[in-house]
Amino acid sequence: MGDISILGPVGSSCIELPFFSSRVSAGFPSPAQDHMEQTLSLDELLDIDAPHTYLVRAEGDSMTGAGILDGDVLVVSRALTGRHGDVVIAAINGETFVKRLTIRGDQVVLCSESPRYPPRYVLEGDDLMIWGVVTDSIRRHRSHG
């Protein structure tokens, strides 16, 4: 199946997490507790529109230039229509990809974000389906275990 693994639809959540208004320094830490102003749900942060949102896991390194790394979880909206420049989940003749959608006149091209991978031109007779637009990515920074 191409370079994604479908994880499934996203259900709405009523869990709210503390949200700190101050930015976190990547240098010297500051006491953030003094700046907690509100709570924020992940639904709101990631603009989850259940049931039109689903998750996929990226596989491979063809989209590193877009900040999508192997193993990242991608938040995908089926409610959005793919436009030129969007990162989309697409299927060509049944093979799925995460690629940047490029439209040049009548020509549709699915482009990687790595020079190691050539663009995939959608040819006459190809069955192209856009399964959704990638709106966000989630990256784990601590391994399980």
Side-chain angles (χ1 to χ4, degrees):
M1 174 184 280
D3 54 1
I4 61 165
S5 296
I6 298 174
L7 300 176
V10 177
S12 60
S13 169
C14 60
I15 298 172
E16 292 188 343
L17 302 171
F19 179 69
F20 298 91
S21 64
S22 63
R23 295 186 181 259
V24 177
S25 171
F28 186 75
S30 66
Q33 185 66 31
D34 296 338
H35 300 283
M36 186 169 83
E37 293 183 1
Q38 63 188 34
T39 58
L40 181 67
S41 76
L42 290 177
D43 295 351
E44 182 181 340
L45 179 66
L46 299 176
D47 201 21
I48 301 296
D49 182 16
H52 304 290
T53 304
Y54 67 96
L55 303 174
V56 299
R57 186 175 306 278
E59 297 175 0
D61 61 353
S62 70
M63 293 301 289
T64 56
I68 298 172
L69 305 182
D70 184 52
D72 284 357
V73 173
L74 307 179
V75 180
V76 183
S77 173
R78 293 183 304 148
L80 299 174
T81 301
R83 298 184 306 212
H84 175 78
D86 284 341
V87 174
V88 298
I89 304 300
I92 298 179
N93 304 326
E95 187 175 4
T96 57
F97 305 93
V98 55
K99 298 292 179 222
R100 182 150 328 262
L101 179 64
T102 304
I103 302 170
R104 299 177 186 138
D106 291 338
Q107 181 67 64
V108 176
V109 185
L110 297 176
C111 296
S112 298
E113 291 285 331
S114 169
R116 295 179 47 205
Y117 300 92
R120 172 57 163 92
Y121 290 85
V122 179
L123 305 174
E124 187 176 331
D126 280 342
D127 181 26
L128 171 67
M129 293 177 40
I130 303 295
W131 288 2
V133 176
V134 176
T135 58
D136 298 278
S137 61
I138 303 167
R139 179 169 307 129
R140 179 174 292 279
H141 293 276
R142 184 176 187 202
S143 63
H144 291 285

